[in-house]
Amino acid sequence: GQNIDQPTEMTATEGAIVQINCTYQTSGFNGLFWYQQHAGEAPTFLSYNVLDGLEEKGRFSSFLSRSKGYSYLLLKELQMKDSASYLCAVTFREAGTALIFGKGTTLSVSS
Amino acid sequence: SAVISQKPSRDICQRGTSLTIQCQVDSQVTMMFWYRQQPGQSLTLIATANQGSEATYESGFVIDKFPISRPNLTFSTLTVSNMSPEDSSIYLCSVEVPETDGYGYTFGSGTRLTVV
């Protein structure tokens, strides 16, 4: 199974911190990606985790626990332009190298 | 990272007709992937296209409906055949590319298809 779950919607205010969680079935796990997608645009790459721990990239950080089948994307110092869909995607060995996406989390940032 | 040129960017088609979507990559890549994104939803993998062999389709997608060509390492097409309004979606191609800290996937800009 490849069930990838993440919350459907989240809201936050400018300057705040938000954490978007993602869980997945651990069998066959290869790596986990986070993508950002603004309405009407293609997804853009944010982060990649293959080992346990935290990867930090500026305002964005991503965490992975392979034993728990769990990841989160942490967005700090939120800006209005961060309003977008955030997609958790996983590669599984039985799916080759294709990305399998969760349903996405729509984040709305208000002033 | 790779740059993908995808066209058409959008089209409005009559039901029963077919549309072929093209993706051209500026570098050679082994695998290309085709996705569908229905309105308000996430991306669903249609198939994986490997140069020199038949595409591998995911459950719920068949070659007769979504034939794929992969004639070389920089180009692929997806055809949406015998279209119905339910095929109205955004279709995206993607390739795997090296990143500074591992690898990632680049996407074409998408084809917004409306079937009337």
Side-chain angles (χ1 to χ4, degrees):
Chain A
Q2 302 169 344
N3 291 347
I4 303 169
D5 292 319
Q6 50 182 131
T8 304
E9 294 180 345
M10 298 184 73
T11 59
T13 54
E14 270 188 305
I17 299 173
V18 70
Q19 178 175 312
I20 304 174
N21 296 324
C22 173
T23 59
Y24 60 90
Q25 295 201 354
T26 58
S27 174
F29 173 81
N30 254 345
L32 188 141
F33 297 76
W34 284 96
Y35 279 80
Q36 180 190 61
Q37 187 178 30
H38 285 99
E41 298 181 11
T44 55
F45 173 77
L46 289 179
S47 67
Y48 167 57
N49 294 73
V50 63
L51 299 176
D52 290 350
L54 188 68
E55 295 282 342
E56 298 189 75
K57 271 188 178 182
R59 293 191 299 117
F60 292 5
S61 303
S62 58
F63 172 83
L64 176 68
S65 169
R66 289 173 296 170
S67 62
K68 296 181 179 177
Y70 168 70
S71 173
Y72 67 72
L73 180 70
L74 192 71
L75 294 78
K76 304 175 186 176
E77 301 169 15
L78 281 173
Q79 303 173 11
M80 298 290 284
K81 68 178 183 179
D82 297 327
S83 294
S85 288
Y86 291 86
L87 309 174
C88 174
V90 180
T91 53
F92 295 94
R93 282 188 285 277
E94 62 267 27
T97 59
L99 277 175
I100 308 300
F101 284 86
K103 296 189 185 302
T105 299
T106 300
L107 174 66
S108 300
V109 180
S110 58
S111 56
Chain B
S1 57
V3 176
I4 302 176
S5 173
Q6 181 173 346
K7 54 184 180 182
S9 58
R10 59 178 63 230
D11 208 341
I12 301 173
C13 300
Q14 297 290 324
R15 67 178 69 199
T17 63
S18 297
L19 175 72
T20 295
I21 301 166
Q22 301 180 3
C23 277
Q24 177 75 51
V25 191
D26 68 348
S27 57
Q28 293 185 339
V29 294
T30 304
M31 297 289 196
M32 293 182 74
F33 308 96
W34 287 97
Y35 289 87
R36 179 175 74 183
Q37 187 169 28
Q38 294 177 303
Q41 299 193 21
S42 187
L43 283 72
T44 300
L45 180 67
I46 297 172
T48 299
N50 190 6
Q51 193 269 334
S53 62
E54 276 200 6
T56 302
Y57 289 82
E58 297 299 301
S59 175
F61 298 96
V62 295
I63 188 171
D64 290 347
K65 176 67 175 178
F66 297 101
I68 288 171
S69 78
R70 185 79 204 276
N72 57 55
L73 290 173
T74 64
F75 187 77
S76 179
T77 68
L78 170 77
T79 298
V80 187
S81 303
N82 188 25
M83 289 184 284
S84 66
E86 291 72 32
D87 295 321
S88 297
S89 285
I90 298 172
Y91 293 85
L92 300 108
C93 61
S94 175
V95 300
E96 180 183 339
V97 295
E99 299 280 347
T100 54
D101 55 353
Y103 67 101
Y105 294 77
T106 295
F107 288 83
S109 53
T111 297
R112 184 179 295 273
L113 171 63
T114 302
V115 183
V116 298

